[in-house]
Amino acid sequence: MSEYNFLEIEKKWQSYWTENHTFKSSIDKDKEKYYVLEMFPYPSGRIHMGHVRNYTIGDVVARYRMSAGFNVLHPIGFDAFGQPAENAAIKHDTDPKEWTEKCIGWMVKELKHMGFSYDWDRELSTHRDEYYRWNQWIFIKMMEQGLAYKKGCPVNWCPSCQTTLANEEVVNGECWRCQTEVIQKELEQWYLKITEFKDVLLEDLETLKYWPERVRTMQKNWIGKSFGVEIYFKEAETEKNLPVFTTRQDTIFGATYMVVAPEYPQLKEMIKGKPEEAQVLKFIEQVSRKSKIVRVSADVKKEGVFTGTYAINPVNNEKIPIWTADYVLMDYGTGAIMAVPTHDQRDFLFAKEHNLPMRVVIKNSDAGITNADELNEAYEEDGVQVNSAQFDGLTNTEAKEKIADWMEQEKIGQRQVFFRLKDWLISRQRYWGTPIPMIYCDKCGVVPVPEKDLPVKLPEKIDITGEGGSPLAKVKEFVEVACPVCAQPARRETDTMATFIDSSWYFLRFCSPRYDKGVFDQEEVNYWMTVDQYIGGIEHAVLHLLYSRFFTKFLNSIGLVDMKEPFQKLLTQGMVLKDGEVMSKSKGNIVDPDEIIQKYGADSLRLRILFAAPPEAEIDWQNKDMDGAWRFLNRVWTLVLSFHELKTSGMEIKELGFEKKLLFKLHTAIKKVTEEMSGGFKFNTAISTMMELVNEISPALRTAQEKNAMNEVLEQAVTALVIMISPITPHMCEELWQVMGNKGTILKAAWPIYDSKYLEQDELTIVVQVNSKVRSKIIVPADIAEDALKEKVLADEKIKNWVQDKPVKKFIVIPKKLVNLIM
RNA sequence: GGGCGAGUGGUGGAAUGGCAUACACGAUGGACUUAAAAUCCAUUGGCUUAACGGCCGUAAGGGUUCGAAUCCCUUCUCGCCCACCA
């Protein structure tokens, strides 16, 4: 019998799949379509264990669906633009394009070594002009709709990457890529109006039933819808408007001072000529030098000064002092707050520190504290209104509505819905990205590049230093252009687009990747979309997944696509760690998948990474765990070959005694494996079930060998086993399938269907408890009547001992499972 | 500070109201071998017992239930996300 020579087998079948275009996909309206997509990789040059996990999961889903008769689309491509390539090019003194394409070459090779079922004819890469020209096209479409615009305002700036960052790219005040502290800079930049879709982006989260709750919550928080009231405070002397936004209008009667952000635009005018002017200016200066990280860190004491001015509370015409403090932020609400120290902990601490007055307006209950001096902290819970004029006695939840109504009536306030989500800043002062297709003309202003002139190609082999300013600005031939409107000399925009734009619609491009008459072929898109199963890391929960939803909604709004959401189901797989840490070059704990493939084969690696844990959980990778996977595959290999040898040796066919038990195990396994592959995705337990099946077939086969006989049940079991493992270990199973005398690929084999009649057993083991403790187990016919069961239980020797002659108070019967005697 | 999730043998994990620890890994012993590897067989939560068996046991404590790893409450620990968000 031949050995399991995985290197040879894997090579053979990888060539077979390529030569026979096994995974080529095209529209077939007779079949149900299934679009499975894994988040496409950044071409770093080497695949890592995270890729292996992500793509193995996707591949099992894809291969299962192919076997189950679906018309499957399973594409792959590369998210090729971005800073790492630019940095690598600077470091190695090469060109980002050359570098990237070399990396793609390596990665394609490694991905092919894993045996993934990609339709390679659809491969795309975002750095090719045939792709990014459509980024430019979409951008112009957005501009036509008023959804792409330029504005000057303070932006996030990473001093290390020398570029701007979107809000989503700033993590804890640091650049998400290099962890450098982000600073604010006043710049004129391009934005996409994602806020136009804020309501649907939020509402439609509800329709994403098959997304992890966690991801939906994160998006919900990021969009951050809050309901409140804008209240029109006035400056006491000048009567100028000082609106504040609050969600706690029920506490308005407790507002004892006001705070404006140090950056508040009117602040400098408000203090002009006041005795406090100097100290306030000094404070503003101090705060501006403080970094955002320091400013928002919880343990730093809130600082602030009195401005010398007063505001009028419109509900009672009370004159309250206006302070400025670092705990009020310019970029949320109106940049000014009403401070209610009794019912907001931050205001409470600040008021205590600066001896500001307090007034309780909500008490806990009838006995609740109403004297502010007795409070040790702010009372932020619900309660009953006090000191609130006509609203006294109402619960604060009632008062919220009544006060809002009243304010609107009196025109001293207006209900408002406030969103945290801001427009998406997409200008980047970097080279390796899509040029923003805009031209600045002194006469005509900002002019989009006409559609016929697209793509605006990224100039190649230019000088990149990574220091200061857009590299494209130094390329004269690029910058200088004739205005498309008046033909006078004009200048091109030299910033490039954020690379998250590239990945915001690639799943649409995959439907018709070579289409050159438009952004995509609508017929293809409307056939394949939506993505039935999307698989990727949780780190994209907000960024990529929110942007993709935004793009889809935009394209839907201009009638280019039918669907409103891009990804029907989402699976977020856990990370692959090494010794509890993320694998990285700097830690030197990188595991190279290709090394494992050389030693154990891709099939063993695929099996192991799925068996280690359920897909959402983290895995701590240990190379030595490969042995178990390898051993199991060898067992299957030997088993199937021994079976085949026996079958072809002219034995007789007869009953061998194990049939019933084997059928039970087989159909249990078919049920379980099918469930997991079609949606449960707990591949670890699917695999353990198949291991149990192997543990059942092995002794059965031995019996058959001893008696030099076999039968159909054994054959069914072996056949089903090979088909069921094939999505996980495709190379080995293709080979076994061929050895078993079949022609062509195992993907054409019919996926086994379980028959519930084999799941019924004649005899059952019933657990017998006495006073809820397991004391015995009895075997009874499956259809035993309750009376007969009781009789049998009481006749059991062990139970007799426990019961003796004491009376049985209660006799609990859980059919087919358990009996509990309460004494 | 807020939200979400998790905590089970030496290890990865299984069991989502009914036999806790399936399936593996590792370990120990045995068979085969001149030997080793591979393979196969057996044992493998703790305490106790000569043995049959008994008792304990799913982070800690309490509750609901005939019955709880699973549901509820309190506490602890860890992870992730958000965060001076008004």
Side-chain angles (χ1 to χ4, degrees):
Chain A
M1 187 165 43
S2 62
E3 296 235 319
Y4 171 39
N5 187 340
F6 58 87
L7 281 178
E8 205 173 282
I9 292 169
E10 291 181 358
K11 210 172 143 201
K12 169 180 164 186
W13 287 99
Q14 283 162 17
S15 311
Y16 177 94
W17 296 327
T18 305
E19 282 157 23
N20 291 279
H21 305 282
T22 308
F23 309 118
K24 191 169 173 58
S25 44
S26 54
I27 292 183
D28 176 350
K29 287 186 172 153
D30 295 334
K31 280 183 171 176
E32 200 176 332
K33 70 93 188 177
Y34 195 88
Y35 186 176
V36 54
L37 183 65
E38 301 108 59
M39 290 180 186
F40 67 163
Y42 181 81
S44 58
R46 293 267 177 265
I47 66 167
H48 55 66
M49 295 305 278
H51 292 129
V52 168
R53 190 178 195 191
N54 191 175
Y55 301 150
T56 299
I57 294 169
D59 198 49
V60 172
V61 174
R63 284 178 182 271
Y64 161 73
R65 291 285 165 174
M66 290 176 199
S67 287
F70 288 79
N71 188 27
V72 174
L73 174 59
H74 188 211
I76 188 76
F78 297 92
D79 188 12
F81 271 143
Q83 264 175 64
E86 195 170 332
N87 294 341
I90 293 166
K91 195 173 152 196
H92 298 106
D93 195 25
T94 164
D95 184 63
K97 186 175 180 186
E98 261 171 49
W99 172 265
T100 299
E101 284 182 349
K102 214 185 283 168
C103 286
I104 289 176
W106 289 330
M107 279 184 97
V108 166
K109 213 169 131 198
E110 292 200 344
L111 289 169
K112 286 190 171 171
H113 285 168
M114 284 299 295
F116 296 134
S117 60
Y118 295 126
D119 178 356
W120 283 103
D121 294 344
R122 289 180 189 258
E123 184 205 332
L124 60 78
S125 183
T126 57
H127 78 287
R128 296 176 190 144
D129 58 24
E130 64 185 37
Y131 185 86
Y132 71 70
R133 66 178 295 175
W134 303 112
N135 281 348
Q136 297 172 337
W137 186 86
I138 294 172
F139 186 87
I140 291 167
K141 288 290 145 196
M142 285 191 174
M143 199 179 173
E144 286 168 9
Q145 303 293 317
L147 297 177
Y149 65 94
K150 204 172 187 191
K151 73 169 174 188
C153 70
V155 298
N156 305 306
W157 176 265
C158 173
S160 160
C161 298
Q162 287 284 320
T163 187
T164 50
L165 297 171
N167 287 341
E168 288 82 355
E169 291 171 321
V170 180
V171 180
N172 292 329
E174 294 172 348
C175 171
W176 70 306
R177 196 192 303 282
C178 66
Q179 279 82 49
T180 305
E181 194 180 296
V182 171
I183 59 168
Q184 300 293 305
K185 226 178 171 177
E186 179 82 24
L187 281 174
E188 180 124 328
Q189 301 278 289
W190 285 97
Y191 288 82
L192 297 185
K193 206 167 179 186
I194 189 171
T195 54
E196 181 80 10
F197 295 92
K198 58 190 187 305
D199 287 302
V200 276
L201 284 170
L202 184 67
E203 281 161 24
D204 290 353
L205 283 173
E206 300 302 320
T207 69
L208 301 173
K209 297 194 284 283
Y210 299 103
W211 279 36
E213 184 67 45
R214 187 153 90 100
V215 175
R216 286 190 290 166
T217 309
M218 281 162 73
Q219 292 213 358
K220 207 172 150 187
N221 292 342
W222 188 262
I223 297 168
K225 188 177 188 177
S226 56
F227 296 89
V229 176
E230 191 170 273
I231 304 175
Y232 311 131
F233 281 71
K234 280 197 164 54
E235 204 186 332
E237 288 170 39
T238 63
E239 298 209 345
K240 276 189 185 149
N241 264 333
L242 289 173
V244 303
F245 175 75
T246 181
T247 53
R248 290 298 307 271
Q249 63 272 18
D250 51 324
T251 64
I252 178 75
F253 290 90
T256 47
Y257 63 104
M258 184 192 253
V259 188
V260 299
E263 300 88 351
Y264 199 69
Q266 297 154 49
L267 178 58
K268 284 185 184 167
E269 207 187 306
M270 282 157 64
I271 56 170
K272 201 161 264 171
K274 296 253 161 29
E276 289 84 358
E277 184 175 6
Q279 76 166 12
V280 175
L281 288 174
K282 197 175 145 207
F283 177 74
I284 294 172
E285 163 66 15
Q286 266 171 20
V287 173
S288 72
R289 267 187 279 118
K290 241 191 267 182
S291 79
K292 201 169 174 180
I293 302 176
V294 172
R295 198 170 151 187
V296 302
S297 62
D299 40 331
V300 170
K301 204 195 277 173
K302 325 299 183 212
E303 287 180 32
V305 292
F306 176 50
T307 62
T309 54
Y310 293 85
I312 301 296
N313 184 343
V315 300
N316 52 12
N317 289 319
E318 207 170 23
K319 194 172 158 191
I320 58 174
I322 302 175
W323 284 60
T324 179
D326 55 1
Y327 77 97
V328 171
L329 306 175
M330 199 52 228
D331 54 8
Y332 190 80
T334 61
I337 62 154
M338 61 175 205
V340 185
T342 45
H343 306 293
D344 181 293
Q345 186 61 15
R346 290 158 300 165
D347 296 343
F348 181 86
L349 292 174
F350 192 79
K352 280 275 177 207
E353 176 76 23
H354 299 283
N355 254 322
L356 289 156
M358 299 189 190
R359 185 188 311 132
V360 172
V361 291
I362 292 165
K363 62 173 180 176
N364 184 346
S365 61
D366 288 344
I369 294 171
T370 51
N371 181 353
D373 297 339
E374 291 170 30
L375 284 176
N376 295 318
E377 57 179 10
Y379 179 73
E380 294 179 333
E381 321 293 302
D382 285 338
V384 180
Q385 301 287 139
V386 292
N387 297 324
S388 300
Q390 67 266 44
F391 302 100
D392 280 354
L394 294 175
T395 66
N396 71 309
T397 29
E398 286 167 342
K400 260 188 192 171
E401 295 311 310
K402 295 245 161 93
I403 289 175
D405 289 342
W406 174 68
M407 284 179 167
E408 286 182 348
Q409 224 170 36
E410 299 290 317
K411 300 203 175 4
I412 53 174
Q414 178 73 45
R415 275 195 178 81
Q416 270 213 350
V417 180
F418 199 85
F419 286 83
R420 215 186 71 110
L421 183 72
K422 295 275 176 344
D423 279 343
W424 177 14
L425 163 59
I426 56 101
S427 302
R428 295 292 180 272
Q429 293 68 46
R430 300 292 300 210
Y431 165 70
W432 194 230
T434 306
I436 296 175
M438 289 296 150
I439 293 168
Y440 300 102
C441 170
D442 289 336
K443 203 171 126 206
C444 311
V446 184
V447 183
V449 174
E451 211 173 312
K452 67 172 171 51
D453 294 340
L454 293 182
V456 175
K457 284 202 190 184
L458 186 65
E460 286 177 27
K461 301 206 163 75
I462 72 155
D463 190 32
I464 317 161
T465 58
E467 287 156 17
S470 307
L472 291 181
K474 293 174 210 147
V475 185
K476 219 175 138 198
E477 325 62 283
F478 178 81
V479 177
E480 292 178 0
V481 66
C483 169
V485 178
C486 69
Q488 292 301 304
R491 287 158 289 114
R492 279 191 197 282
E493 167 67 63
T494 56
D495 283 355
T496 53
M497 295 184 196
T499 53
F500 273 111
I501 287 182
D502 309 352
S503 53
S504 294
W505 66 282
Y506 76 110
F507 43 89
L508 297 167
R509 186 70 188 167
F510 270 141
C511 299
S512 54
R514 308 286 170 256
Y515 192 66
D516 60 5
K517 295 180 194 68
V519 59
F520 43 68
D521 182 336
Q522 276 178 268
E523 192 198 342
E524 294 275 351
V525 163
N526 287 329
Y527 172 80
W528 290 112
M529 284 293 285
T530 63
V531 175
D532 294 274
Q533 183 65 57
Y534 198 33
I535 306 160
I538 185 79
E539 65 272 20
H540 295 291
V542 174
L543 291 155
H544 161 60
L545 290 169
L546 186 66
Y547 295 148
S548 297
R549 296 183 60 224
F550 160 48
F551 264 57
T552 304
K553 289 187 187 303
F554 166 70
L555 293 168
N556 176 276
S557 75
I558 59 168
L560 277 178
V561 298
D562 289 348
M563 75 287 324
K564 290 187 167 154
E565 286 288 339
F567 314 121
Q568 209 206 349
K569 295 189 180 182
L570 174 68
L571 176 68
T572 49
Q573 96 273 2
M575 292 207 288
V576 183
L577 308 177
K578 183 83 177 73
D579 307 318
E581 289 186 308
V582 179
M583 292 187 207
S584 73
K585 257 188 212 160
S586 57
K587 290 195 180 104
N589 60 352
I590 296 213
V591 176
D592 180 9
D594 233 29
E595 264 173 42
I596 297 175
I597 294 173
Q598 288 305 311
K599 197 169 165 202
Y600 296 95
D603 281 340
S604 291
L605 176 56
R606 294 165 58 116
L607 180 78
R608 174 59 217 174
I609 206 145
L610 294 178
F611 186 55
E616 292 87 353
E618 276 180 358
I619 294 177
D620 202 334
W621 183 263
Q622 298 296 334
N623 275 351
K624 66 178 167 55
D625 291 336
M626 284 303 304
D627 290 331
W630 159 257
R631 214 175 295 165
F632 175 68
L633 289 192
N634 270 285
R635 286 183 69 194
V636 174
W637 176 262
T638 313
L639 179 84
V640 177
L641 260 52
S642 310
F643 164 82
H644 185 68
E645 221 162 71
L646 179 65
K647 190 189 162 191
T648 48
S649 68
M651 38 52 297
E652 60 173 318
I653 295 190
K654 64 176 185 187
E655 290 250 335
L656 292 161
F658 53 68
E659 291 79 6
K660 223 162 192 160
K661 224 175 130 201
L662 185 54
L663 276 171
F664 173 74
K665 203 79 193 176
L666 173 62
H667 286 264
T668 309
I670 296 173
K671 183 165 188 274
K672 169 76 179 170
V673 172
T674 306
E675 277 169 8
E676 296 307 343
M677 289 199 178
S678 60
F681 302 144
K682 285 193 211 115
F683 301 113
N684 57 331
T685 54
I687 291 168
S688 69
T689 306
M690 287 191 276
M691 286 173 169
E692 286 177 66
L693 179 59
V694 170
N695 291 345
E696 197 70 35
I697 299 176
S698 292
L701 179 62
R702 223 168 297 140
T703 307
Q705 283 168 325
E706 278 159 18
K707 299 190 176 160
N708 194 32
M710 64 167 299
N711 60 44
E712 208 184 308
V713 174
L714 188 59
E715 177 156 16
Q716 277 171 12
V718 173
T719 309
L721 173 72
V722 175
I723 297 172
M724 284 195 292
I725 313 182
S726 70
I728 297 170
T729 60
H731 310 87
M732 183 184 84
C733 292
E734 289 275 25
E735 183 69 18
L736 289 173
W737 191 244
Q738 196 180 58
V739 169
M740 287 166 85
N742 301 289
K743 292 258 179 312
T745 163
I746 193 168
L747 290 161
K748 297 270 186 299
W751 188 261
I753 294 169
Y754 81 91
D755 187 336
S756 52
K757 81 177 177 218
Y758 297 116
L759 301 179
E760 301 289 328
Q761 289 175 294
D762 300 344
E763 292 192 319
L764 298 170
T765 305
I766 303 285
V767 175
V768 184
Q769 297 183 330
V770 177
N771 284 334
S772 307
K773 294 211 168 186
V774 179
R775 295 304 181 188
S776 183
K777 285 168 198 178
I778 58 170
I779 295 169
V780 298
D783 56 356
I784 193 166
E786 206 167 304
D787 287 347
L789 177 65
K790 282 184 188 176
E791 211 169 287
K792 196 141 190 200
V793 165
L794 292 168
D796 184 76
E797 283 303 317
K798 287 181 196 155
I799 298 304
K800 265 190 194 165
N801 255 322
W802 284 100
V803 176
Q804 294 189 345
D805 44 7
K806 284 169 268 175
V808 178
K809 264 198 234 161
K810 217 168 166 185
F811 205 107
I812 296 160
V813 179
I814 308 299
K816 300 188 179 193
K817 274 186 185 158
L818 170 142
V819 171
N820 192 1
L821 309 184
I822 309 303
M823 311 292 297

